[in-house]
CSV table of all heavy atoms in Angstrom, one decimal:
chain,number,residue,atom,x,y,z
A,1,TYR,N,86.5,115.4,115.9
A,1,TYR,CA,86.6,115.5,117.4
A,1,TYR,C,86.1,116.9,117.8
A,1,TYR,O,86.2,117.9,117.1
A,1,TYR,CB,88.1,115.4,117.8
A,1,TYR,CG,88.7,114.0,117.7
A,1,TYR,CD1,89.5,113.6,116.7
A,1,TYR,CD2,88.2,113.0,118.6
A,1,TYR,CE1,90.0,112.4,116.7
A,1,TYR,CE2,88.7,111.7,118.6
A,1,TYR,CZ,89.6,111.4,117.6
A,1,TYR,OH,90.0,110.2,117.5
A,2,ALA,N,85.4,116.9,118.9
A,2,ALA,CA,84.8,118.2,119.5
A,2,ALA,C,86.0,119.0,120.0
A,2,ALA,O,86.9,118.6,120.6
A,2,ALA,CB,83.9,117.8,120.6
A,3,THR,N,85.9,120.4,119.8
A,3,THR,CA,86.8,121.4,120.3
A,3,THR,C,86.2,121.9,121.6
A,3,THR,O,85.1,121.8,121.9
A,3,THR,CB,87.0,122.4,119.3
A,3,THR,OG1,85.8,123.1,119.0
A,3,THR,CG2,87.6,121.9,118.0
A,4,ALA,N,87.1,122.7,122.2
A,4,ALA,CA,86.6,123.3,123.5
A,4,ALA,C,85.4,124.2,123.4
A,4,ALA,O,84.6,124.4,124.3
A,4,ALA,CB,87.8,124.0,124.2
A,5,ASP,N,85.3,124.9,122.2
A,5,ASP,CA,84.2,125.8,122.0
A,5,ASP,C,83.0,125.2,121.4
A,5,ASP,O,82.1,126.0,120.9
A,5,ASP,CB,84.8,127.1,121.3
A,5,ASP,CG,85.2,126.7,119.8
A,5,ASP,OD1,85.1,125.5,119.4
A,5,ASP,OD2,85.6,127.6,119.1
A,6,GLY,N,82.9,123.9,121.3
A,6,GLY,CA,81.7,123.2,120.8
A,6,GLY,C,81.8,123.0,119.3
A,6,GLY,O,80.8,122.3,118.8
A,7,ARG,N,82.8,123.4,118.6
A,7,ARG,CA,82.9,123.1,117.1
A,7,ARG,C,83.5,121.8,117.0
A,7,ARG,O,83.8,121.0,117.9
A,7,ARG,CB,83.7,124.2,116.4
A,7,ARG,CG,83.0,125.5,116.5
A,7,ARG,CD,83.7,126.6,115.7
A,7,ARG,NE,85.0,126.9,116.3
A,7,ARG,CZ,86.0,127.6,115.7
A,7,ARG,NH1,85.8,128.1,114.4
A,7,ARG,NH2,87.1,127.9,116.3
A,8,ARG,N,83.7,121.3,115.7
A,8,ARG,CA,84.3,120.0,115.4
A,8,ARG,C,85.5,120.2,114.5
A,8,ARG,O,85.5,121.1,113.6
A,8,ARG,CB,83.4,119.1,114.7
A,8,ARG,CG,82.1,118.8,115.6
A,8,ARG,CD,82.2,117.4,116.0
A,8,ARG,NE,81.2,117.1,117.0
A,8,ARG,CZ,81.3,116.2,118.0
A,8,ARG,NH1,82.4,115.6,118.1
A,8,ARG,NH2,80.4,116.1,118.9
A,9,VAL,N,86.5,119.4,114.7
A,9,VAL,CA,87.7,119.3,113.7
A,9,VAL,C,87.2,119.0,112.4
A,9,VAL,O,86.4,118.0,112.2
A,9,VAL,CB,88.8,118.4,114.3
A,9,VAL,CG1,89.9,118.3,113.3
A,9,VAL,CG2,89.3,118.9,115.6
A,10,ARG,N,87.7,119.6,111.3
A,10,ARG,CA,87.2,119.3,110.0
A,10,ARG,C,87.7,117.9,109.5
A,10,ARG,O,88.8,117.5,109.8
A,10,ARG,CB,87.7,120.4,109.0
A,10,ARG,CG,87.0,121.7,109.2
A,10,ARG,CD,87.5,122.8,108.4
A,10,ARG,NE,87.4,122.5,107.0
A,10,ARG,CZ,88.0,123.3,106.1
A,10,ARG,NH1,88.6,124.3,106.4
A,10,ARG,NH2,87.9,122.9,104.8
A,11,TRP,N,86.9,117.2,108.8
A,11,TRP,CA,87.2,115.8,108.3
A,11,TRP,C,88.2,116.0,107.1
A,11,TRP,O,88.1,117.0,106.4
A,11,TRP,CB,86.0,115.1,107.8
A,11,TRP,CG,85.2,114.6,109.0
A,11,TRP,CD1,84.1,115.3,109.6
A,11,TRP,CD2,85.4,113.5,109.8
A,11,TRP,NE1,83.6,114.5,110.6
A,11,TRP,CE2,84.4,113.4,110.8
A,11,TRP,CE3,86.3,112.4,109.8
A,11,TRP,CZ2,84.3,112.4,111.7
A,11,TRP,CZ3,86.2,111.4,110.7
A,11,TRP,CH2,85.2,111.4,111.6
A,12,ARG,N,89.0,115.0,106.8
A,12,ARG,CA,89.8,114.8,105.7
A,12,ARG,C,90.8,116.1,105.5
A,12,ARG,O,91.1,116.4,104.4
A,12,ARG,CB,88.9,114.7,104.4
A,12,ARG,CG,88.1,113.4,104.4
A,12,ARG,CD,88.9,112.2,104.6
A,12,ARG,NE,88.1,111.0,104.3
A,12,ARG,CZ,88.0,110.0,105.3
A,12,ARG,NH1,88.5,110.2,106.5
A,12,ARG,NH2,87.3,108.9,105.0
A,13,ARG,N,91.2,116.7,106.6
A,13,ARG,CA,92.2,117.7,106.6
A,13,ARG,C,93.5,117.3,107.3
A,13,ARG,O,94.6,117.6,106.8
A,13,ARG,CB,91.7,119.0,107.2
A,13,ARG,CG,90.4,119.5,106.6
A,13,ARG,CD,90.6,120.2,105.5
A,13,ARG,NE,91.2,121.5,105.8
A,13,ARG,CZ,91.8,122.3,104.9
A,13,ARG,NH1,91.9,122.0,103.7
A,13,ARG,NH2,92.4,123.4,105.3
A,14,VAL,N,93.4,116.6,108.4
A,14,VAL,CA,94.6,116.2,109.2
A,14,VAL,C,94.5,114.7,109.5
A,14,VAL,O,93.5,114.2,110.0
A,14,VAL,CB,94.8,117.0,110.5
A,14,VAL,CG1,96.0,116.6,111.3
A,14,VAL,CG2,94.8,118.6,110.2
A,15,PHE,N,95.6,114.0,109.2
A,15,PHE,CA,95.7,112.6,109.5
A,15,PHE,C,96.9,112.3,110.3
A,15,PHE,O,97.9,113.1,110.4
A,15,PHE,CB,95.8,111.8,108.2
A,15,PHE,CG,94.7,112.0,107.3
A,15,PHE,CD1,94.7,113.1,106.4
A,15,PHE,CD2,93.7,111.1,107.2
A,15,PHE,CE1,93.5,113.2,105.5
A,15,PHE,CE2,92.5,111.2,106.4
A,15,PHE,CZ,92.5,112.4,105.5
A,16,ARG,N,96.9,111.2,111.1
A,16,ARG,CA,98.1,110.8,111.7
A,16,ARG,C,98.3,109.3,111.3
A,16,ARG,O,97.4,108.6,110.8
A,16,ARG,CB,97.9,110.8,113.2
A,16,ARG,CG,96.9,109.9,113.8
A,16,ARG,CD,97.3,108.5,114.3
A,16,ARG,NE,98.4,108.5,115.1
A,16,ARG,CZ,99.5,107.6,115.0
A,16,ARG,NH1,99.4,106.7,114.1
A,16,ARG,NH2,100.5,107.6,115.8
A,17,SER,N,99.6,108.8,111.4
A,17,SER,CA,100.0,107.5,110.8
A,17,SER,C,101.2,107.0,111.5
A,17,SER,O,101.9,107.7,112.2
A,17,SER,CB,100.2,107.6,109.3
A,17,SER,OG,100.4,106.4,108.7
A,18,ASP,N,101.4,105.7,111.3
A,18,ASP,CA,102.7,105.1,111.6
A,18,ASP,C,103.5,105.3,110.3
A,18,ASP,O,103.2,106.2,109.5
A,18,ASP,CB,102.6,103.7,112.0
A,18,ASP,CG,101.9,102.8,111.0
A,18,ASP,OD1,101.3,103.3,110.1
A,18,ASP,OD2,101.9,101.5,111.2
A,19,ALA,N,104.5,104.6,110.1
A,19,ALA,CA,105.4,104.7,109.0
A,19,ALA,C,104.5,104.7,107.6
A,19,ALA,O,103.6,103.9,107.5
A,19,ALA,CB,106.4,103.6,108.8
A,20,LEU,N,104.9,105.5,106.7
A,20,LEU,CA,104.2,105.7,105.5
A,20,LEU,C,104.6,104.7,104.4
A,20,LEU,O,105.3,104.9,103.4
A,20,LEU,CB,104.3,107.1,104.9
A,20,LEU,CG,103.9,108.2,105.8
A,20,LEU,CD1,104.0,109.5,105.2
A,20,LEU,CD2,102.4,108.0,106.3
A,21,ARG,N,104.2,103.4,104.6
A,21,ARG,CA,104.5,102.3,103.8
A,21,ARG,C,103.3,102.0,102.9
A,21,ARG,O,102.4,101.3,103.3
A,21,ARG,CB,104.8,101.0,104.6
A,21,ARG,CG,106.0,101.1,105.5
A,21,ARG,CD,106.3,99.9,106.3
A,21,ARG,NE,105.2,99.6,107.1
A,21,ARG,CZ,105.1,99.8,108.4
A,21,ARG,NH1,106.1,100.3,109.0
A,21,ARG,NH2,104.0,99.5,109.1
A,22,PHE,N,103.2,102.7,101.8
A,22,PHE,CA,102.0,102.6,100.9
A,22,PHE,C,102.1,101.5,99.9
A,22,PHE,O,103.1,101.3,99.3
A,22,PHE,CB,101.8,104.0,100.2
A,22,PHE,CG,101.7,105.1,101.1
A,22,PHE,CD1,102.4,106.3,100.8
A,22,PHE,CD2,100.8,105.0,102.2
A,22,PHE,CE1,102.2,107.4,101.6
A,22,PHE,CE2,100.7,106.2,103.0
A,22,PHE,CZ,101.3,107.3,102.8
A,23,THR,N,100.9,100.9,99.6
A,23,THR,CA,100.8,99.9,98.6
A,23,THR,C,100.4,100.7,97.3
A,23,THR,O,100.1,101.9,97.3
A,23,THR,CB,99.8,98.9,98.9
A,23,THR,OG1,98.5,99.5,99.0
A,23,THR,CG2,100.1,98.2,100.2
A,24,ASP,N,100.4,99.9,96.2
A,24,ASP,CA,99.9,100.6,94.9
A,24,ASP,C,98.5,101.1,95.1
A,24,ASP,O,98.2,102.2,94.6
A,24,ASP,CB,100.1,99.6,93.8
A,24,ASP,CG,101.5,99.3,93.4
A,24,ASP,OD1,102.3,100.2,93.6
A,24,ASP,OD2,101.8,98.3,92.8
A,25,ASP,N,97.6,100.4,95.8
A,25,ASP,CA,96.2,100.7,96.0
A,25,ASP,C,96.2,102.0,96.8
A,25,ASP,O,95.2,102.8,96.6
A,25,ASP,CB,95.4,99.6,96.6
A,25,ASP,CG,95.2,98.5,95.6
A,25,ASP,OD1,95.3,98.6,94.3
A,25,ASP,OD2,95.0,97.3,96.1
A,26,ASP,N,97.0,102.1,97.8
A,26,ASP,CA,97.1,103.2,98.7
A,26,ASP,C,97.3,104.5,98.0
A,26,ASP,O,96.8,105.6,98.3
A,26,ASP,CB,98.1,103.1,99.8
A,26,ASP,CG,97.8,102.0,100.8
A,26,ASP,OD1,96.7,101.4,100.8
A,26,ASP,OD2,98.7,101.5,101.5
A,27,VAL,N,98.2,104.4,97.0
A,27,VAL,CA,98.5,105.6,96.1
A,27,VAL,C,97.2,106.2,95.6
A,27,VAL,O,97.0,107.4,95.6
A,27,VAL,CB,99.6,105.3,95.1
A,27,VAL,CG1,99.7,106.4,94.1
A,27,VAL,CG2,100.9,104.9,95.7
A,28,ALA,N,96.4,105.4,95.0
A,28,ALA,CA,95.1,105.9,94.4
A,28,ALA,C,94.3,106.6,95.5
A,28,ALA,O,93.7,107.7,95.2
A,28,ALA,CB,94.4,104.8,93.7
A,29,VAL,N,94.1,106.0,96.7
A,29,VAL,CA,93.3,106.5,97.7
A,29,VAL,C,93.9,107.9,98.2
A,29,VAL,O,93.1,108.9,98.4
A,29,VAL,CB,93.2,105.5,98.9
A,29,VAL,CG1,92.5,106.2,100.1
A,29,VAL,CG2,92.5,104.3,98.5
A,30,LEU,N,95.2,108.0,98.3
A,30,LEU,CA,95.8,109.2,98.8
A,30,LEU,C,95.7,110.3,97.7
A,30,LEU,O,95.6,111.5,98.0
A,30,LEU,CB,97.3,109.0,99.2
A,30,LEU,CG,97.4,108.1,100.4
A,30,LEU,CD1,98.8,107.6,100.6
A,30,LEU,CD2,96.9,108.9,101.6
């Protein structure tokens, strides 16, 4: 996402989610 000063929010640093109901496959990704 663009910031007010023209930069961008860094990728793969901040996430949002609903409830953290992870599957076994999700564990590997995380």
Side-chain angles (χ1 to χ4, degrees):
Y1 289 108
T3 63
D5 64 1
R7 295 184 294 168
R8 297 251 172 214
V9 175
R10 290 173 59 187
W11 288 97
R12 300 299 191 241
R13 303 279 290 162
V14 179
F15 299 85
R16 64 90 52 220
S17 186
D18 58 348
L20 302 182
R21 298 179 299 258
F22 301 135
T23 66
D24 291 334
D25 291 338
D26 294 343
V27 170
V29 172
L30 292 165

